[in-house]
């Protein structure tokens, strides 16, 4: 079943995901980017492998991107290291897709960010509440069309990293 959600004004990445999640009606929720940089059928494989744990609310599943460039892997490692040092939580490949979890998790989400910090916020909430975060390897493909708004170029990667680090430092104050 597919329901169409029309968002009148694009406020940002996190806002769109959050609106979609809250619009959904299923017990198991999954999100991933629509740019086809990974095979959507991987979400079905993840569900089939982990569905009992997902329904029991024991885990959250996230992708773990394979076959990425050295530069992309370096930024990913750096963000994971910063998260570990700041929060004491080991979370690999924060921005990997898909993310899959039980709807009950949404009770823990309070005023999420509307930008690309959404992924790290979501995973830190899970880690803080001792929800196990499992990873599922997903092949990462080059973008077929459009330009990445978050980290497509080196300059954008730096800007995204700085914004995310600022967000995490502010989150640490209230965490």
């Amino acid at each position: 079943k597919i329901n169409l959600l029309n968002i009148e004004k694009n406020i940002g990445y996190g806002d769109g995901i959050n609106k979609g999640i809250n619009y959904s009606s299923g017990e198991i929720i999954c999100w991933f980017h629509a740019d086809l940089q990974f095979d959507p059928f991987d979400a079905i494989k993840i569900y089939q492998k982990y569905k009992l744990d997902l329904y029991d609310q024991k885990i959250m599943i996230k992708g773990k991107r394979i076959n990425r460039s050295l530069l992309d892997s370096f930024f990913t490692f750096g963000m994971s290291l910063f998260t570990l040092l700041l929060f004491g939580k080991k979370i690999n490949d924060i921005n990997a897709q898909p993310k899959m979890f039980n709807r009950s998790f949404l009770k823990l989400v309070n005023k999420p960010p509307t930008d690309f910090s959404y992924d790290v916020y979501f995973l830190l909430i899970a880690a803080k509440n001792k929800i196990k975060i499992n990873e599922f390897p997903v092949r990462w493909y080059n973008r077929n069309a459009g330009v990445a708004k978050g980290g497509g170029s080196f300059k954008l990667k730096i800007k995204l990293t700085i914004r995310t680090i600022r967000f995490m430092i502010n989150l640490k104050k209230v965490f």
Side-chain angles (χ1 to χ4, degrees), residues 33 58 150:
H33 302 164
K58 295 178 183 176

Side-chain angles (χ1 to χ4, degrees), residues 7 20 27 40 64 81 86 90 92 106 140 151 157 164 172:
I7 298 174
E27 187 175 350
K64 178 178 167 64
L81 180 61
L86 187 62
K90 185 175 188 256
N92 298 317
L106 296 179
W140 208 247
K157 287 179 194 317
T164 304
K172 177 67 176 171

Side-chain angles (χ1 to χ4, degrees), residues 57-61 126-127 129-134:
Q57 305 170 30
K58 295 178 183 176
I59 61 171
M60 174 181 290
I61 313 298
N129 288 280
K130 297 180 176 33
I131 295 172
K132 185 175 181 182
I133 301 170
N134 280 9

Side-chain angles (χ1 to χ4, degrees), residues 161-173:
T161 300
I162 291 169
R163 279 195 324 260
T164 304
I165 287 172
R166 283 184 184 145
F167 170 78
M168 288 195 293
I169 290 169
N170 289 327
L171 182 62
K172 177 67 176 171
K173 295 174 187 175

